[in-house]
Amino acid sequence: MNHIPLDADHVSRRWLGKAARELQDPEASVVASAADRRPISEDINETFDDHQTFGERLADRVAAFGGSWPFIIAFGVFLALWTVINLLLRKEAFDPYPFIFLNLVLSMLAAVQAPVIMMSQNRQAAKDRLDAGNDYQVNLKAEIEIMALLEKVEHLTARQQEQTDMIQRLLQERNAR
C-alpha cells in the first residue's frame, strides 16, 4: 500500500510546535522520516562495526579475552607454574624468590593491557551513545505516529457519533410519523 507523503513542515508544526527549519538534526530527520512515511531505525552495530580499524578490532578482542574466565584460568596456571618451577630450581632458578622478574612481567602486562581495555571501553561508550541517539529518534517518531493515529481515531469516533446521531434523529422522525 503506497502512502502519500506528508508535508514535513506541517508534521513539525503539528507535533513538535516548531517549523521544520527550526529543528536540530535528530528531530529534523525524524520529522522528514515521518513525513515520508519511511522507517528511521538502523542497526547501529552494523554501522559502527563497518568503520572500525584493525587496531580497534584487535583491542576489542584483547579486551574480550583479557576479561574472560579462560584468561584468568590460563594466567593462574601460568603464575602457579612460574612459582613452582622457580621454587623447585632453588639456586638455579631463573627468577628466585621473591620473583622480581615475575613482578616486572606482570607490571608490563598491566601497563599494556589497561590502555587496551580502556580503548575498547571508550569505543563501547561511543557505540552506546549512537545507540541511545537512534533509540531517541525511533521513540520520537513512534510518539508522532501514535499521536497522529490517536487524532485519526478521535476524528473517526466523532464522525461515527455524528452518523449515529443522524440515524437516531431519522428513526425518531420516522417513528413520529
Side-chain angles (χ1 to χ4, degrees), residues 124-137:
Q124 185 61 45
K127 186 177 179 182
D128 289 345
R129 283 190 297 276
L130 287 174
D131 200 27
N134 186 52
D135 286 348
Y136 169 73
Q137 288 183 319

Side-chain angles (χ1 to χ4, degrees), residues 78-79 81-97 99-102 105:
F78 168 77
L79 291 175
L81 285 172
W82 183 291
T83 304
V84 168
I85 290 171
N86 280 288
L87 287 176
L88 290 175
L89 291 175
R90 295 181 194 218
K91 299 275 187 206
E92 292 83 34
F94 57 90
D95 186 21
Y97 181 81
F99 311 116
I100 294 172
F101 184 58
L102 177 61
V105 170

Side-chain angles (χ1 to χ4, degrees), residues 59-75:
D60 288 342
R61 287 190 187 108
V62 168
F65 179 67
S68 68
W69 279 110
F71 173 78
I72 292 170
I73 292 168
F75 204 65

Side-chain angles (χ1 to χ4, degrees), residues 55-56 58-60 62-63 106-123:
E56 291 170 337
L58 180 63
D60 288 342
V62 168
L106 294 176
S107 296
M108 289 189 307
L109 177 67
V112 171
Q113 192 177 24
V116 169
I117 290 172
M118 289 176 62
M119 287 188 307
S120 181
Q121 288 175 338
N122 288 341
R123 263 191 309 290

